[in-house]
């Protein structure tokens, strides 16, 4: 939703910047009580999409930029994609074992494949329409992937590859559930799509906030209602994650009321069919990204957004603020106590401590 070819590869060396530490002083049973934060790099860039590839954290940014930060070498590698005079904004990123894929928002939608071996760039899909706006992209496996975007006709825009990203085909509207008038999605953190095995969930917002579900890698779809705040252009589900095929969490809220902390977080225990609002009038307000902590049995989650970094140890029933930084847009874990987050002008590493 509208909101807020290869040039020479640049290599930039960065030392970790100042480490910040925030402590949760409450005497509760929180597993993680404090975090330490290392700034990996700062730059004039907006990063809403990252993906973890071993020691490399690939990122997609604005102004046609993409790259990765090598955690082992403590180096940042960056390049640009040049297409005519366009200033591309990449908010979707996905990977297979051999390639990274970048997808731009707005018209024209351009989907590029970047070889991990030699960084060769290939344009694999282009879509031209004044309404086109892609929000998120993920892969089921090395051959099959999916990207989703705002509706052009009466359904969400969904494109799928079955050949490792070499070709992408749009699902005909007759095979997708109809969207409601004013329903679309938000390109907030590349978390509109969640995949577990062959199962796929896509979340929407705007006039309706719903969950679209496919049990067969995008061949058939169902749609479920949620209680997340909706009915306005900038309200709804901005982010989702599933711990397994049954337990999931959605969050977001009202982008025009950033401190509103009700109607903005909900949990499912039946694979997305039904949702229950959590922590009403508690915890964070607008959130752009929510993620489960690995190996936590679905109990621990984190969120980033306008309220800073929040943490829950009880499946989202209660939340504690661990950092006040409101400039983070997206976060991914690299193990069960370390995460990488990025946003406005920076990428950071967060160590969660007991």
């Amino acid at each position: 939703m509208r909101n807020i070819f290869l040039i020479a590869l640049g290599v930039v060396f960065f030392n970790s910047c100042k480490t910040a530490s925030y402590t949760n002083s409450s005497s509760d049973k929180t597993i993680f009580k404090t975090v330490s934060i290392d700034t990996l790099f700062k730059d004039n860039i907006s990063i809403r999409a990252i993906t973890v590839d071993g020691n490399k954290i690939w990122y997609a940014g604005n102004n046609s930029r993409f790259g990765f930060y090598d955690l082992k070498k403590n180096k940042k590698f960056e390049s640009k994609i040049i297409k005519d005079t366009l200033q591309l904004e990449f908010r979707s990123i996905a990977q297979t074992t051999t390639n990274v894929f970048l997808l731009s928002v707005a018209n024209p939608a351009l989907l590029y494949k970047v070889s991990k071996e030699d960084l060769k760039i290939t344009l694999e899909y282009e879509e031209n329409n004044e309404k086109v706006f892609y929000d998120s992209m993920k892969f089921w496996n090395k051959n099959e992937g999916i990207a989703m975007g705002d509706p052009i006709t009466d359904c969400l825009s969904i494109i799928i590859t079955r050949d490792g990203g070499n070709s992408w085909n749009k699902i005909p509207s007759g095979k997708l559930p109809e969207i409601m008038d004013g329903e679309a999605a938000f390109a907030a953190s590349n978390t509109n799509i969640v995949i577990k095995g062959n199962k796929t969930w896509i979340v929407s917002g705007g006039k309706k906030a719903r969950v679209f579900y496919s049990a067969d890698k995008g061949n058939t779809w169902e749609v479920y209602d949620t209680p997340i705040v909706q009915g306005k252009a900038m309200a709804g589900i901005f982010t989702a994650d599933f711990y397994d095929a049954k337990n999931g969490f959605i969050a977001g809220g009202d982008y025009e009321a950033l401190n509103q902390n009700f109607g903005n977080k909900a949990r499912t225990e039946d694979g997305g069919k039904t949702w229950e609002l959590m922590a009403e009038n508690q915890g964070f307000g607008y959130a752009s990204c929510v993620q489960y902590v690995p190996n936590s049995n679905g109990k621990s989650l984190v969120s980033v957004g306008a309220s800073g970094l929040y943490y829950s140890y009880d499946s989202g029933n209660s939340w504690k603020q661990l950092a006040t930084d409101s400039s983070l847009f997206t976060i991914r874990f690299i193990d069960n106590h370390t995460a990488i987050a990025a946003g406005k002008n920076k990428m950071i590493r967060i160590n969660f401590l007991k």
Side-chain angles (χ1 to χ4, degrees):
M1 180 178 289
R2 287 155 181 80
N3 48 33
I4 24 196
F5 293 110
L6 182 62
I7 315 185
L9 178 69
V11 182
V12 184
F13 293 80
F14 288 84
N15 292 322
S16 291
C17 300
K18 184 176 72 174
T19 298
S21 182
Y22 303 83
T23 301
N24 175 4
S25 59
S26 61
S27 57
D28 57 26
K29 297 179 180 179
T30 304
I31 297 173
F32 295 133
K33 293 184 180 294
T34 185
V35 294
S36 65
I37 296 175
D38 299 310
T39 300
L40 300 178
F41 69 82
K42 291 184 177 181
D43 202 349
N44 182 22
I45 191 171
S46 175
I47 302 174
R48 291 185 177 271
I50 60 176
T51 186
V52 179
D53 179 25
N55 290 321
K56 294 178 180 178
I57 312 299
W58 290 86
Y59 63 89
N62 62 341
N63 294 324
S64 303
R65 296 161 68 183
F66 77 95
F68 64 82
Y69 187 88
D70 192 315
L71 297 172
K72 189 174 182 179
K73 297 179 179 179
N74 292 320
K75 297 177 184 178
K76 174 192 173 189
F77 299 78
E78 185 172 287
S79 188
K80 262 189 166 184
I81 293 178
I82 302 302
K83 175 69 170 176
D84 301 325
T85 60
L86 296 173
Q87 287 295 316
L88 302 175
E89 183 167 0
F90 297 115
R91 295 199 188 183
S92 299
I93 193 169
Q95 65 171 312
T96 61
T97 54
T98 56
N99 299 295
V100 170
F101 295 85
L102 309 165
L103 177 57
S104 66
V105 299
N107 184 33
L110 302 171
L111 195 160
Y112 291 92
K113 178 177 69 177
V114 181
S115 168
K116 292 182 181 180
E117 181 180 3
D118 58 10
L119 299 179
K120 178 183 177 182
I121 296 174
T122 310
L123 177 62
E124 301 293 2
Y125 179 82
E126 180 173 352
E127 185 173 342
N128 293 271
N129 190 291
E130 61 180 9
K131 294 183 178 181
V132 71
F133 198 94
Y134 278 91
D135 303 285
S136 190
M137 178 169 50
K138 293 277 171 45
F139 271 76
W140 290 287
N141 52 54
K142 66 179 182 179
N143 292 319
E144 297 173 293
I146 181 173
M148 64 80 58
D150 291 357
I152 290 178
T153 56
D154 59 352
C155 64
L156 292 175
S157 295
I158 297 180
I159 58 174
I160 288 180
T161 181
R162 306 288 187 189
D163 61 2
N166 295 323
S167 63
W168 296 76
N169 297 292
K170 197 163 189 178
I171 298 180
S173 59
K175 292 188 174 183
L176 292 170
E178 288 189 12
I179 52 97
M180 302 296 181
D181 184 40
E183 182 179 12
F186 302 102
S189 59
N190 196 35
T191 50
N192 309 74
I193 305 172
V194 184
I195 286 174
K196 292 294 176 183
N198 294 338
K199 302 179 186 297
T200 309
W201 297 265
I202 291 176
V203 295
S204 70
K207 293 299 179 69
K208 293 289 288 184
R210 300 193 293 172
V211 173
F212 297 75
Y213 170 69
S214 173
D216 53 10
K217 293 187 288 188
N219 288 302
T220 61
W221 294 86
E222 302 173 47
V223 60
Y224 307 121
D225 291 326
T226 81
I228 293 291
V229 61
Q230 54 201 273
K232 298 169 60 179
M234 297 306 295
I237 309 169
F238 283 74
T239 177
D241 196 21
F242 273 74
Y243 187 79
D244 52 33
K246 294 295 185 182
N247 296 282
F249 207 89
I250 53 177
D254 188 343
Y255 193 77
E256 297 175 322
L258 297 177
N259 294 321
Q260 180 177 308
N261 62 354
F262 59 88
N264 68 323
K265 36 194 163 346
R267 184 179 70 200
T268 183
E269 296 177 346
D270 59 9
K273 295 180 176 64
T274 61
W275 296 86
E276 178 186 3
L277 287 173
M278 309 300 296
E280 287 286 85
N281 299 294
Q282 302 176 44
F284 57 86
Y286 161 77
S288 61
C289 189
V290 65
Q291 292 284 283
Y292 278 97
V293 179
N295 304 318
S296 66
N297 294 317
K299 299 296 184 182
S300 297
L301 300 109
V302 300
S303 74
V304 295
S307 304
L309 171 66
Y310 270 75
Y311 167 70
S312 173
Y313 67 92
D314 56 7
S315 302
N317 288 291
S318 64
W319 294 83
K320 296 293 182 181
Q321 187 185 55
L322 293 182
T324 59
D325 191 344
S326 61
S327 67
L328 300 174
F329 301 146
T330 191
I331 186 170
R332 296 294 186 277
F333 279 87
I334 58 177
D335 56 39
N336 63 4
H337 61 277
T338 311
I340 304 297
K344 184 179 180 180
N345 299 334
K346 65 185 174 184
M347 179 183 289
I348 66 174
R349 174 170 47 207
I350 306 170
N351 293 300
F352 292 82
L353 307 171
K354 295 183 179 180

